[in-house]
Amino acid sequence: MVLLGLLCFVSVWAAIVLRTESFQLTVGQVTVPALISATLLYPLMLFFGVYSEITRYSGIAIIVSFAKVFVVYVPCYVFLVTFVTFDGVPRSLGVLQPILLGGLVINARFFIRGLASYLSQGNQDSEKNVIVYGASDVGRQIANAVKQLPEINLVGFFDENPELLNKKINGIRVLDPRTL
């Protein structure tokens, strides 16, 4: 939540500086639009489940979640900042700030993910090998979730379906549970 507030503040500040071409800003120019931004964005991220995904998952799921948030956030912010005027705040902030904020939020997410991955590399001794029982759709979803965890090494699937035995699903071999 603190990071989100900081990103809202930085994106408002950067948008105003870019628009006015001046670093001479008042507290009111940045504070009110930043508070509006954080007040809109935080509940939307909770509602669309972005906080539950932000450090655990990567790929298309997180991008879709962010897109849902911004589809609702952008029109609301544009309306509040563009049509409701504030002293010293350029109206173009309503368009420029969401663009900057979107870039900052996505980059912060990838930075956090990369940092977590980097920090966990030194802890390879605690890596656990896991085999998922079942190579059906649910088993594949579990495998995709498990692959995102740096402390877990997915080594295979167990499945009794003879059509799947000794085949690979996403590069992971399907094994016969009777060989256990």
Side-chain angles (χ1 to χ4, degrees), residues 8-134:
C8 290
F9 181 84
V10 168
S11 64
V12 167
W13 175 83
I16 293 174
V17 166
L18 286 171
R19 174 62 178 93
T20 62
E21 297 180 2
S22 171
F23 288 100
Q24 303 288 329
L25 303 178
T26 65
V27 173
Q29 280 180 297
V30 179
T31 305
V32 173
L35 286 173
I36 291 170
S37 176
T39 303
L40 283 172
L41 196 58
Y42 182 69
L44 289 172
M45 290 181 93
L46 285 176
F47 179 77
F48 287 106
V50 172
Y51 276 116
S52 64
E53 296 176 356
I54 200 156
T55 57
R56 289 185 283 171
Y57 305 113
S58 62
I60 195 72
I62 194 72
I63 293 170
V64 169
S65 294
F66 278 132
K68 289 176 186 176
V69 167
F70 277 92
V71 162
V72 177
Y73 171 81
V74 171
C76 294
Y77 192 78
V78 167
F79 174 77
L80 289 172
V81 175
T82 303
F83 298 114
V84 178
T85 59
F86 300 100
D87 289 335
V89 177
R91 288 197 270 167
S92 60
L93 176 71
V95 176
L96 189 54
Q97 187 270 349
I99 295 168
L100 294 174
L101 181 62
L104 285 172
V105 168
I106 289 175
N107 283 311
R109 185 260 172 269
F110 285 120
F111 175 77
I112 290 168
R113 178 72 180 158
L115 182 62
S117 182
Y118 174 77
L119 292 174
S120 70
Q121 284 179 353
N123 206 7
Q124 294 296 329
D125 295 336
S126 66
E127 189 173 278
K128 294 181 177 31
N129 292 330
V130 172
I131 296 178
V132 174
Y133 193 92

